[in-house]
Amino acid sequence: SQQGEEDPQALSIQEGENATMNCSYKTSINNLQWYRQNSGRGLVHLILIRSNEREKHSGRLRVTLDTSKKSSSLLITASRAADTASYFCATYPFGNEKLTFGTGTRLTIIP
Amino acid sequence: DAGVTQSPTHLIKTRGQHVTLRCSPISGHKSVSWYQQVLGQGPQFIFQYYEKEERGRGNFPDRFSARQFPNYSSELNVNALLLGDSALYLCASSWGPGNEQFFGPGTRLTVL
C-alpha cells in the first residue's frame, strides 16, 4: 500500500517558473525523503528531512515538513527542462523499517 | 566508485516459471532493499536486508524471497510467476535502515 499521496498527480510549467509538489502521509515518521525518477528507470535521492526539522534546502530545492499536518512540500525554483521527471516522496515510519513511497507527481517543464 | 548494479536488465518469463534477480550494492553499504514498481505507480517495498539479516518485509506473497550474501550483494527470487508480477524491480543500497537510498537502474521483468 502507498503511505503517501502526492499532489498534484501531474504538473506542467514554463521553464524558469517555480514548481511546487505536495505530499501527505498517514503515520508518524522518522524521516521523509524525496526522489526523482527519469523515464521509469532508477530513482535518484534528492533530499532527506528528519521529523524534528521543518525546512531544508539543497541547491534549487526547498523541502518543508509539517508533522502536525502530516504533510511535506518540495519546491523547485527556476525550473529547467532537465527537471522533467516524476517526483516521489517516501516516508520512513517509526518502528517500521519500510521506506514507503507515494504515488508521485509527473512534472513537465515546457521550454 | 561504481553505483548500484543490477542484472539482468531485461527478462522475459512465462507463467509458472521462477526468476532470480541480482543486485550489487555500493561499496561500503551494508543494507539492500528491493522494490517492485508497476507502470504509473510508486515503488512498493518488498524486502530490506541489513548485515545479512532480513529487517523488513512488505505485503508480498511467500513466492517472493530474498537473501543477502557475506559481500552484501543480494538476490531476489520469485517463484510460480504470475502475469501480475510484470514490473520494474528496483534494488537500492544504503549505509543502514532509514538512510538515503541509492537505486540501481532496475530489472524489467515481463511475464507472458
Side-chain angles (χ1 to χ4, degrees):
Chain A
S1 61
Q2 307 278 178
Q3 151 83 308
E5 295 282 339
E6 279 93 337
D7 171 54
Q9 291 187 338
L11 178 63
S12 292
I13 60 173
Q14 294 291 133
E15 192 168 18
E17 294 181 337
N18 296 339
T20 299
M21 288 159 271
N22 301 297
C23 168
S24 60
Y25 57 92
K26 299 174 183 174
T27 62
S28 296
I29 60 171
N30 184 304
N31 65 59
L32 184 145
Q33 305 176 28
W34 284 90
Y35 289 82
R36 184 186 74 228
Q37 185 177 36
N38 292 86
S39 304
R41 299 302 285 179
L43 285 80
V44 174
H45 181 268
L46 297 176
I47 201 162
L48 182 154
I49 186 165
R50 304 190 187 284
S51 60
N52 61 352
E53 297 176 308
R54 291 298 168 257
E55 188 171 311
K56 208 162 182 179
H57 297 254
S58 177
R60 295 184 296 114
L61 306 179
R62 172 178 168 256
V63 168
T64 62
L65 178 64
D66 187 335
T67 53
S68 66
K69 295 181 179 178
K70 290 186 169 59
S71 67
S72 175
S73 67
L74 170 67
L75 168 67
I76 304 174
T77 60
S79 63
R80 305 167 180 169
D83 295 329
T84 293
S86 291
Y87 291 81
F88 295 92
C89 70
T91 53
Y92 193 73
F94 278 114
N96 180 339
E97 299 191 16
K98 301 179 184 179
L99 187 64
T100 305
F101 284 80
T103 51
T105 292
R106 175 68 190 170
L107 175 65
T108 301
I109 307 300
I110 304 166
Chain B
D1 282 340
V4 177
T5 59
Q6 291 187 244
S7 62
T9 305
H10 295 86
L11 203 52
I12 298 175
K13 293 285 189 178
T14 57
R15 282 176 295 175
Q17 288 188 313
H18 74 273
V19 67
T20 298
L21 310 182
R22 296 179 174 83
C23 172
S24 292
I26 290 172
S27 178
H29 284 186
K30 298 181 178 180
S31 179
V32 170
S33 298
W34 288 94
Y35 298 85
Q36 180 195 66
Q37 187 177 26
V38 175
L39 191 63
Q41 297 183 19
Q44 295 267 9
F45 175 85
I46 308 176
F47 287 108
Q48 181 180 72
Y49 278 79
Y50 176 64
E51 288 282 19
K52 291 151 281 183
E53 291 190 0
E54 183 183 302
R55 293 293 292 266
R57 174 186 284 256
N59 296 324
F60 281 82
D62 293 343
R63 299 184 296 108
F64 288 76
S65 63
R67 55 179 174 168
Q68 187 177 33
F69 298 99
N71 66 354
Y72 301 107
S73 67
S74 178
E75 283 182 355
L76 175 70
N77 293 282
V78 187
N79 293 323
L81 285 168
L82 303 174
L83 295 180
D85 295 331
S86 295
L88 180 67
Y89 288 84
L90 295 162
C91 171
S93 75
S94 65
W95 295 107
N99 290 305
E100 62 179 295
Q101 303 214 350
F102 295 82
F103 281 81
T107 293
R108 176 76 62 185
L109 172 65
T110 301
V111 182
L112 302 176

